[in-house]
Amino acid sequence: MNDRGRERDLVLAPNEFAFILDETKGNINVYVGPHKTSLANTDAPVVFDAGSKRFERRPLDGAIQSLSIAPEGWYLSLKNPATDKSHPRTGALNNLPSLDTGRKVNIPGPASFALWPGQMVRVIQGHHLRSNQYLLVRVYDEEGAKTNWKNAVLRMRAEAAADEGEAVHVQRPPDLTMGTLLIIRGTEVAFYIPPTGVEVVPDVDGNYVREAITLERLEYCILLDENGNKRYIQGPAVVFPQPTETFVAMRGARKFRAIELNENTGLYIKVIAPYEENGVRYKVGDELFITGKDTMIYLPRPEHAIIKYGDQERHYAVAIPAGEARYVLDRNKGTITLKRGPAIYLPDPRIELIIRRVLDPKTVSLWFPGNREAYDYNRRLAQQNAPQIAAEFAAVASVPVQAARASAAPKAAPAPGGPAAPPPPPPSSEFAGDDFTRSQTFTGPRTIVLDTRYDGAVAIDVWTGYAVLVVSKTGERKVVTGPHTHLLEYDETLQVLELSTGTPKTEHNLFKTVYLRVLNNKVSDQVEVETRDLVRVQLQLSYRVNFEGDPNRWFEVENYVKFLTDHLRSLVRAAVKRHGIEQFYADSVAILRDVILGVAGEDGKRPGRRFDENGMRVYDVEVLEVTIGDEAIAELLVQAQHAAVQQTLSLAAEQRRLDMVRQAEAVTQQVAEAKSATLQQAIALRTREGEQQQRYQLAELAAKLDLHERQQQALLAEQERLGAIHGAELGRRQATATLELTVQQQQLDQRLRELQAEVVAVVEKARAVSPDLIAALQAFGDRALAEKMAESMAPLAILGGESVAEVLARLLRGSPLARLLPGAANEPAKS
């Protein structure tokens, strides 16, 4: 509303002011309430637009402004202060003083004043800091900051003040160059108002107070400096960044959990800066694979960069069940090995890579006939995963792109008099300690499903009675017989057989397969032969074939069906050519079996037809059909067969009549034979009874004779034993007597010698004796000698049955002693 042309009154209440433009001079005066004045027509109310930095005309009511008020704990940031630091006076007209344009000063509360025209002001609440909060301040006026640093309004925390001896000022940093950024930490300062020359930098959301990061145990954060260096800090800790640092944030999070590892997981690490740990030096470019065996909890460090494949950080082990395997590629050597189960296999990504083998459609149809699922899987794998498979051979993995950095800050504190902040939520009843969250769908034990049919090595199931030939690119050959599951090496393939099909077997439509049936194989064929009388015959044959001997020879013949049928056709044609049609038609099965299987031996078994080329043996043949090519001859053979059948039936009737007569006569004969047999049986019984009685009597007599003979033999033996005993006794007695006689004779001889010695002595003594005395002594000695001899000869006299005198007389006859014996003088002398 334009009030020009009429008188106006400007009424200002306390805490109000207005800018009035004198349009005649261009001066702007400041009216501060409480005040009342009448404006001239040349006076125009204006306001200063801080955005455009120009004065804009306003209606009188719209030109009235409020004073800038900063209560206790707040401060004002005033731009373009007066050179003399003055403010418009209250309740008066104020002329514009000289302003220090471009300057900015911080005025702590309590303060209240009106603005000079061209001044700009912001009322800012003082910054209250918790222990996990901080301020980022910037020096905008180097001289003002140095001069006014001690004028900062702050309150130290009790623990920090106690540590610093109740200091009330934050120590001035050595560098206060314009643009320098500083950090005011909440662990040191509880309340802060910056001095002139320093301003608090708000974050992107306009908040001045920034949140530090409180790290619990097993948590860490990343600080990125402007120079590109990173700093990793592990909890528990309260982390304040440096002025040039920012927190690295990923998906809105600025702190991260440590990575849990176990024996079946690992991290692929690239060393991006040299360092030394536990006496081991690592240089740039080294690659590490850290598993749970060495490090159960991994916390990153600035020298490490995790190599990811997609979004996957951890490398997990794969479960290889029993009977399965995985192809493992050595990225340095290029060799592919087979890792067999059962195992939990964790490959080392630095040198090992689990790969899949893609089979072409032709190979799938041969190795897995009728398996549509395997065909579709390999086709999709070949189309979709070819670029991925090629990329896996890359030796160097790129370092992951850093996520966008973001920092979370609390909302701006409410202005004085505004709505109160909501009360903090009640404490949670949930457990808030250190834990690891693992995904599972229910409270029971974890359950996983292993479907590894197409993840591992190619497995060939060789069924019972079948065999395959495994060939490697190095030329090695191996025959695998069923039942068996064979895991193919990466360079192994299966030998393909091409078999003739149809009846008769031809090579027009070959059947390709890798499975050779080695037991109970059945091959059917049709053979056209000609007999000796030029009649053509069609034979339908079915051979039973086994493969025996050395398995390495079974695959020597690629088309064993054609090889078998060609050879047997030749043998059958040659054999049939030696027979006429009538003979062959009547005995075709036996002829063919003899030709193909050989003549049966003594045990009734046929040797079969063996092929040394590939170990094949035909152990049986079935003649399914014999068809004569000439219909007339076939009709004649049928008629001949009919006539032969009629004759056979007539003969069979006569034979049956003959058999009936024979059976009737046989019954009559059997009746007579039965009667005769009964009579003969009775006679035989009586005869046997008499023979038994006679044998009994003879046996009884023989027993008596035998008993008597044995008694006599026993008696004779007893007498012989008695005679022997008596003879032995006599021998003993004779030996005893002889011994005694010998002893006595020796004694006698000794006595005689003694006597002779005595005699000699006596003679020597008695030479002076008279002859009569000598004769008497001699007689006396002879008598004594005779007595001694009689005593000695007594046993001999007893044995001879004579008296002692007789024995002595016979012995001493003719000797001088004989006269001493009685009757010796009366015996006549014997010549």
Side-chain angles (χ1 to χ4, degrees):
M1 177 179 178
N2 190 358
D3 292 335
R4 186 182 300 272
R6 66 180 182 87
E7 291 184 358
R8 295 164 297 164
D9 291 335
L10 174 62
V11 179
L12 297 174
N15 297 329
E16 290 182 345
F17 72 96
F19 295 153
I20 302 299
L21 173 63
D22 185 352
E23 292 181 345
T24 59
K25 299 178 180 180
N27 295 330
I28 297 178
N29 300 319
V30 180
Y31 293 86
V32 181
H35 184 75
K36 179 182 180 183
T37 185
S38 296
L39 299 180
N41 292 332
T42 56
D43 294 335
V46 294
V47 295
F48 182 72
D49 186 2
S52 62
K53 306 296 190 293
R54 298 185 61 176
F55 290 93
E56 297 179 355
R57 290 175 172 79
R58 297 288 179 86
L60 184 60
D61 294 338
I64 299 175
Q65 305 178 53
S66 298
L67 272 62
S68 298
I69 301 174
E72 186 73 33
W74 291 62
Y75 68 98
L76 297 98
S77 178
L78 178 64
K79 291 184 179 181
N80 305 325
T83 305
D84 57 0
K85 300 181 182 181
S86 63
H87 300 289
R89 299 187 308 275
T90 302
L93 171 63
N94 298 277
N95 296 321
L96 179 62
S98 175
L99 299 180
D100 195 356
T101 304
R103 294 284 182 179
K104 182 172 67 173
V105 296
N106 295 331
I107 303 172
S112 175
F113 54 84
L115 297 180
W116 294 113
Q119 288 184 333
M120 295 172 285
V121 69
R122 282 189 305 158
V123 180
I124 304 174
Q125 183 183 12
H127 307 291
H128 295 270
L129 300 178
R130 297 194 303 271
S131 60
N132 63 342
Q133 294 177 332
Y134 68 97
L135 298 174
L136 177 63
V137 299
R138 179 173 53 212
V139 177
Y140 66 86
D141 182 358
E142 181 175 350
E143 294 298 330
K146 292 178 180 180
T147 303
N148 299 293
W149 182 264
K150 62 182 180 297
N151 297 328
V153 179
L154 55 88
R155 295 293 181 270
M156 302 292 291
R157 290 200 175 275
E159 57 271 18
D163 294 340
E164 298 182 10
E166 300 296 335
V168 295
H169 297 289
V170 175
Q171 183 178 2
R172 195 184 80 176
D175 185 13
L176 288 178
T177 305
M178 183 179 295
T180 301
L181 296 174
L182 303 174
I183 294 293
I184 304 298
R185 301 187 180 188
T187 55
E188 301 171 352
V189 177
F191 177 79
Y192 182 76
I193 293 178
T196 298
V198 178
E199 63 180 350
V200 179
V201 181
D203 60 14
V204 293
D205 295 327
N207 300 315
Y208 292 102
V209 177
R210 302 170 184 252
E211 295 290 333
I213 293 181
T214 301
L215 297 178
E216 301 178 16
R217 195 173 301 276
L218 301 182
E219 291 183 340
Y220 68 96
C221 68
I222 306 173
L223 292 168
L224 177 63
D225 202 341
E226 293 178 350
N227 57 13
N229 292 326
K230 287 183 178 180
R231 190 159 58 98
Y232 291 80
I233 301 178
Q234 303 173 5
V238 177
V239 182
F240 297 95
Q242 295 298 325
T244 57
E245 290 179 332
T246 56
F247 290 103
V248 175
M250 296 180 62
R251 300 182 182 91
R254 298 189 300 167
K255 60 180 180 179
F256 314 98
R257 297 283 291 180
I259 298 177
E260 176 200 7
L261 300 177
N262 55 39
E263 294 184 357
N264 300 324
T265 57
L267 295 175
Y268 189 12
I269 303 297
K270 172 77 77 173
V271 177
I272 58 176
Y275 71 99
E276 182 176 354
E277 184 179 21
N278 297 328
V280 180
R281 293 187 177 183
Y282 299 94
K283 60 181 182 299
V284 176
D286 288 346
E287 293 184 352
L288 310 176
F289 185 56
I290 301 175
T291 66
K293 294 181 180 180
D294 303 322
T295 305
M296 298 297 290
I297 303 295
Y298 175 77
L299 291 165
R301 55 187 303 159
E303 298 87 1
H304 285 181
I306 297 179
I307 299 177
K308 295 183 180 179
Y309 290 91
D311 294 332
Q312 180 180 352
E313 293 180 350
R314 295 181 181 89
H315 291 256
Y316 295 92
V318 295
I320 306 177
E324 297 186 11
R326 295 290 185 275
Y327 293 120
V328 180
L329 170 66
D330 190 320
R331 299 173 62 176
N332 298 330
K333 300 179 181 178
T335 58
I336 299 176
T337 57
L338 204 62
K339 182 66 176 180
R340 300 179 181 272
I344 300 297
Y345 179 62
L346 178 62
D348 188 342
R350 296 174 296 177
I351 56 175
E352 294 177 326
L353 185 65
I354 295 180
I355 61 175
R356 296 179 181 177
R357 183 175 180 179
V358 182
L359 304 178
D360 58 87
K362 180 179 179 181
T363 302
V364 174
S365 61
L366 287 174
W367 293 4
F368 309 100
N371 193 335
R372 185 67 185 180
E373 183 181 1
Y375 178 85
D376 294 339
Y377 173 79
N378 282 273
R379 180 175 56 83
R380 291 194 304 268
L381 193 63
Q383 294 176 354
Q384 300 176 3
N385 294 351
Q388 178 182 357
I389 294 174
E392 294 292 346
F393 287 88
V396 180
S398 60
V399 179
V401 178
Q402 295 185 9
R405 300 189 298 271
S407 59
K411 295 182 179 180
S428 174
S429 61
E430 297 181 359
F431 177 71
D434 294 334
D435 61 357
F436 292 99
T437 301
R438 297 178 179 175
S439 175
Q440 62 182 38
T441 57
F442 59 96
T443 58
R446 290 194 306 145
T447 302
I448 61 174
V449 177
L450 288 180
D451 186 5
T452 59
R453 287 178 298 172
Y454 301 109
D455 293 337
V458 178
I460 301 297
D461 292 328
V462 185
W463 308 309
T464 303
Y466 286 83
V468 295
L469 177 60
V470 181
V471 183
S472 66
K473 293 184 179 180
T474 58
E476 297 179 359
R477 302 170 75 243
K478 176 173 60 178
V479 176
V480 179
T481 59
H484 182 73
T485 298
H486 180 71
L487 300 176
L488 292 178
E489 298 285 349
Y490 195 80
D491 63 338
E492 287 182 342
T493 58
L494 301 181
Q495 178 70 32
V496 180
L497 299 174
E498 295 183 345
L499 307 180
S500 299
T501 59
T503 304
K505 292 293 185 289
T506 63
E507 296 182 343
H508 300 304
N509 185 17
L510 296 177
F511 172 70
K512 294 184 178 181
T513 182
V514 296
Y515 298 98
L516 172 65
R517 182 154 191 170
V518 297
L519 294 177
N520 305 321
N521 199 348
K522 185 176 180 181
V523 179
S524 59
D525 192 22
Q526 179 178 341
V527 184
E528 183 177 353
V529 298
E530 187 178 63
T531 61
R532 185 175 56 192
D533 42 13
L534 305 179
V535 177
R536 294 189 174 275
V537 180
Q538 295 285 343
L539 302 177
Q540 292 286 343
L541 304 176
S542 178
Y543 307 110
R544 298 299 178 91
V545 181
N546 282 344
F547 284 81
E548 302 172 348
D550 185 9
N552 293 322
R553 303 184 60 185
W554 294 349
F555 291 83
E556 295 295 333
V557 179
E558 182 179 11
N559 190 349
Y560 74 89
V561 175
K562 189 68 170 58
F563 181 71
L564 168 68
T565 55
D566 287 349
H567 183 67
L568 294 184
R569 285 173 188 173
S570 176
L571 294 178
V572 170
R573 289 191 181 106
V576 175
K577 191 66 176 179
R578 294 194 294 267
H579 298 81
I581 183 60
E582 185 176 3
Q583 178 187 4
F584 176 73
Y585 192 76
D587 200 16
S588 59
V589 175
I591 293 173
L592 293 175
R593 290 178 68 84
D594 288 342
V595 171
I596 297 173
L597 303 178
V599 181
E602 296 180 356
D603 56 355
K605 297 182 180 179
R606 300 177 184 270
R609 177 67 59 182
R610 181 174 179 81
F611 293 82
D612 295 332
E613 292 81 357
N614 61 346
M616 180 171 54
R617 186 175 75 90
V618 181
Y619 67 90
D620 196 8
V621 62
E622 296 178 4
V623 181
L624 303 177
E625 186 178 358
V626 179
T627 305
I628 300 175
D630 193 332
E631 296 181 357
I633 294 176
E635 184 66 25
L636 290 176
L637 287 176
V638 171
Q639 293 176 1
Q641 289 292 334
H642 288 173
V645 169
Q646 292 177 355
Q647 294 175 1
T648 300
L649 293 177
S650 299
L651 290 175
E654 295 295 328
Q655 184 67 34
R656 285 194 297 272
R657 191 168 66 82
L658 176 61
D659 292 340
M660 183 178 63
V661 174
R662 285 178 177 175
Q663 290 177 3
E665 294 298 328
V667 170
T668 304
Q669 292 175 4
Q670 290 175 2
V671 171
E673 289 177 356
K675 292 180 178 180
S676 176
T678 302
L679 181 60
Q680 292 177 5
Q681 185 71 17
I683 295 172
L685 288 174
R686 289 195 296 272
T687 302
R688 285 197 296 271
E689 288 178 358
E691 291 176 353
Q692 289 292 338
Q693 187 175 5
Q694 183 180 6
R695 282 196 294 271
Y696 174 73
Q697 293 175 354
L698 291 175
E700 186 178 3
L701 181 59
K704 291 180 179 180
L705 292 175
D706 184 62
L707 178 61
H708 181 69
E709 183 178 359
R710 289 185 179 183
Q711 290 176 350
Q712 293 296 324
Q713 290 178 355
L715 183 59
L716 179 61
E718 183 67 24
Q719 292 298 323
E720 289 178 355
R721 288 194 296 272
L722 291 176
I725 294 172
H726 183 67
E729 186 177 358
L730 289 178
R732 287 194 299 274
R733 290 179 180 178
Q734 184 177 1
T736 303
T738 303
L739 178 61
E740 292 177 353
L741 183 61
T742 302
V743 172
Q744 292 177 1
Q745 182 66 39
Q746 291 177 355
Q747 292 176 353
L748 181 60
D749 291 342
Q750 184 177 3
R751 182 60 181 167
L752 287 176
R753 286 192 296 272
E754 292 177 356
L755 292 175
Q756 289 176 358
E758 292 177 358
V759 170
V760 172
V762 171
V763 170
E764 291 295 331
K765 293 179 179 181
R767 284 183 177 179
V769 180
S770 65
D772 293 334
L773 181 58
I774 293 170
L777 292 172
Q778 186 174 3
F780 179 78
D782 291 339
R783 184 174 298 277
L785 178 60
E787 290 177 359
K788 293 294 183 180
M789 292 182 63
E791 292 177 1
S792 302
M793 296 303 292
L796 294 177
I798 294 172
L799 293 175
E802 298 177 343
S803 64
V804 177
E806 293 177 353
V807 175
L808 289 176
R810 189 168 60 252
L811 292 174
L812 299 177
R813 185 180 292 121
S815 66
L817 297 176
R819 59 184 180 79
L820 300 175
L821 299 175
N826 298 327
E827 286 188 10
K830 294 182 181 181
S831 57

